[in-house]
Amino acid sequence: MPHESPDIWAMADLATPFAIRTAATLRVPDVVKDGPIPLVEIAHRCKAEADPLGRVLRFLVHRGVFTEPEMDVFGPNDASNALCSDVPDGPQPWLDLDGAVGRADLAFVELIEQVRGHHPAYPAAFGRSFWEDLAHNPQLSDSFDSLMETKSYGLAPLIAAAHDWSAYSLIADVGGGKGVLLAEILGAHPQLRGILVDLLGPARNAAEYLREQGVQERAEVVTASFFDPLPIHADAAIVCDVLGDWDDQDATRILGHCAQAVAPDGRVLIIELLPDTSRMTLFTEMDLRIMIYVGGRMRDLDRTQRIAAAAGLTVEDFTPLDNGYAIIECRPER
Ligand SMILES: C[S@@+](CC[C@H](N)C(=O)[O-])C[C@H]1O[C@@H](n2cnc3c(N)ncnc32)[C@H](O)[C@@H]1O
């Protein structure tokens, strides 16, 4: 069958994504959700300048986002409503240029220099690494934790159901963020106790979240870096969506510290999105994004097995989940 070539001009356009992200960041979709409003009023409510905002909105009207029922009056349509900030699992928080990921996307201007081998993109765009940026900016850090929380709501129940947790009495979620996964597993398995390990900001939020979820009696939060030996011992250590953020050397160090933190017959459970033929668009996009944001990489099972082996771990089992993620069960070689 002849392959239809993609519309390169449409794919390479930068005006549309920037216009959409500007409108989403200013919350224009929220403001016009209930019906058309004069531009001056929209600009006032969005704390924006009316003239440039009107030009952005008119541009978007001609691309199918928003309506302009009369001159300088803008209203909603299905596309703009999809950008409202209260849409469950909606795109707004990911596109928000003041949020951690929307801002990180701006580092794509440095992609060419990273590919030329001149410098990594994010520090060139923002003057320090992604993680340093989060550490210095509570608003960015909170927005990142809340994006990870949203992502985890879909993933955590799959993980809690797919693995035999009855084999353990104490588990640790290393780089566990706000604790969505740990709370889900502890909620589903009342015999279990858990430790969440993360940096100061996420650890602080996790203590509150685990309390809200009613599992605080069986959960401990430990503030530590996974680049240092972990000050914990557990039957199993989970590393979910963490290794992709790091190059092979750093990922091996993290796994090595997890291996040392589990019992000799314990397990390290690596949970990552793996490539499969039906999801290569998503997988390669994630690979590019984490290369730009943090210098990390997505890995297939072979490459994950190699870094696990370098960290003293043998892959014992592999459980694919419905959404393309997999639980890769490793045992320490000692
Ligand atoms: C992509 S998020 C994944 C969070 C969580 N595991 C999940 O699946 O939603 C990576 C996590 O690693 C944490 N992290 C980054 N550097 C760390 C370090 N040096 N030590 C411990 N945690 C770290 C971040 O704070 C963040 O919570």
Side-chain angles (χ1 to χ4, degrees):
M1 211 163 75
H3 186 71
E4 205 177 311
S5 38
D7 179 349
I8 292 295
W9 285 112
M11 285 175 74
D13 161 48
L14 281 180
T16 311
F18 273 98
I20 289 177
R21 285 159 188 255
T22 296
T25 302
L26 294 171
R27 312 281 172 106
V28 180
D30 295 354
V31 168
V32 302
K33 184 165 75 173
D34 296 327
I37 299 188
L39 171 62
V40 175
E41 177 65 17
I42 300 171
H44 174 69
R45 292 209 218 159
C46 295
K47 300 189 177 62
E49 289 290 322
D51 176 68
L53 177 61
R55 291 155 75 177
V56 167
L57 296 182
R58 191 160 301 116
F59 170 87
L60 286 174
V61 167
H62 289 280
R63 275 143 192 88
V65 189
F66 300 109
T67 57
E68 189 176 12
E70 56 184 284
M71 186 67 181
D72 283 341
V73 175
F74 292 93
N77 62 7
D78 287 350
S80 71
N81 285 338
L83 287 167
C84 285
S85 59
D86 59 359
V87 174
D89 285 337
Q92 193 278 339
W94 298 90
L95 301 178
D96 188 334
L97 296 167
D98 295 331
V101 170
R103 174 178 152 92
D105 282 343
L106 300 179
F108 267 98
V109 292
E110 297 290 340
L111 174 63
I112 179 68
E113 298 307 326
Q114 182 153 358
V115 171
R116 282 183 173 138
H118 290 166
H119 50 236
Y122 193 99
F126 295 114
R128 55 190 173 203
S129 78
F130 180 80
W131 300 115
E132 286 165 344
D133 232 4
L134 295 196
H136 284 89
N137 186 330
Q139 185 202 325
L140 281 187
S141 173
D142 286 351
S143 86
F144 182 68
D145 292 345
S146 115
L147 288 172
M148 291 303 105
E149 180 184 348
T150 311
K151 179 219 68 175
S152 298
Y153 286 137
L155 182 57
L158 297 179
I159 298 170
H163 186 71
D164 178 14
W165 300 99
S166 68
Y168 318 119
S169 49
L170 180 60
I171 59 171
D173 190 358
V174 179
K178 197 172 177 177
V180 176
L181 176 59
L182 187 63
E184 181 77 30
I185 299 172
L186 294 186
H189 301 277
Q191 90 289 356
L192 270 180
R193 288 179 303 119
I195 306 169
L196 183 134
V197 181
D198 210 303
L199 300 174
L200 185 59
R204 198 183 301 119
N205 292 336
E208 196 181 317
Y209 181 79
L210 293 165
R211 206 170 20 255
E212 282 164 18
Q213 300 306 305
V215 294
Q216 77 278 12
E217 303 281 300
R218 291 183 287 127
E220 184 190 349
V221 176
V222 171
T223 301
S225 168
F226 45 47
F227 288 117
D228 298 323
L230 295 170
I232 57 159
H233 286 286
D235 302 320
I238 303 164
V239 259
C240 176
D241 251 347
V242 164
L243 299 182
D245 290 341
W246 306 96
D247 64 21
D248 284 354
Q249 203 182 353
D250 284 339
T252 304
R253 268 177 73 200
I254 296 168
L255 283 179
H257 290 141
C258 291
Q260 284 157 13
V262 297
D265 60 347
R267 294 290 181 269
V268 174
L269 304 171
I270 300 171
I271 301 168
E272 287 288 336
L273 184 70
L274 291 183
D276 83 43
T277 46
S278 65
R279 289 193 182 81
M280 286 314 288
T281 315
L282 171 66
F283 186 83
T284 52
E285 181 186 330
M286 288 299 300
D287 187 47
L288 209 51
R289 283 173 178 275
I290 58 175
M291 177 177 92
I292 292 298
Y293 301 170
V294 290
R297 65 181 316 129
M298 299 298 282
R299 297 181 180 84
D300 60 14
L301 187 57
D302 271 359
R303 194 167 186 132
T304 307
Q305 240 158 345
R306 283 204 297 278
I307 57 166
L313 291 165
T314 306
V315 173
E316 279 242 307
D317 203 358
F318 164 77
T319 311
L321 306 177
D322 284 348
N323 59 356
Y325 276 77
I327 304 176
I328 303 165
E329 185 176 336
C330 307
R331 142 181 90 68
E333 275 158 17
R334 70 187 125 90

